[in-house]
Amino acid sequence: MHRRVVDAGGDILEAPQETRFGSGAAAYVCTVRDPEGNLWTFGTYRGPSPA
């Protein structure tokens, strides 16, 4: 998604980076702004591990 925004000339507010959420799950995220000023955060999510 990051590459598509860059290729379209979008505004990248937070470059792709690895982070951890409250659950401790790791994710790769980035934040962008669309032409109307809305913020979007995209990231990976593997879902819960099978127990």
Side-chain angles (χ1 to χ4, degrees):
M1 187 56 64
H2 175 264
R3 174 59 42 207
R4 290 176 67 185
V5 172
V6 169
D7 290 347
D11 187 14
I12 305 300
L13 301 177
E14 188 173 79
Q17 63 182 325
E18 186 173 324
T19 190
R20 292 202 178 268
F21 293 105
S23 66
Y28 199 61
V29 300
C30 72
T31 303
V32 301
R33 184 185 338 260
D34 70 19
E36 296 175 347
N38 299 299
L39 301 182
W40 294 80
T41 299
F42 297 96
T44 59
Y45 176 67
R46 296 187 190 275
S49 58

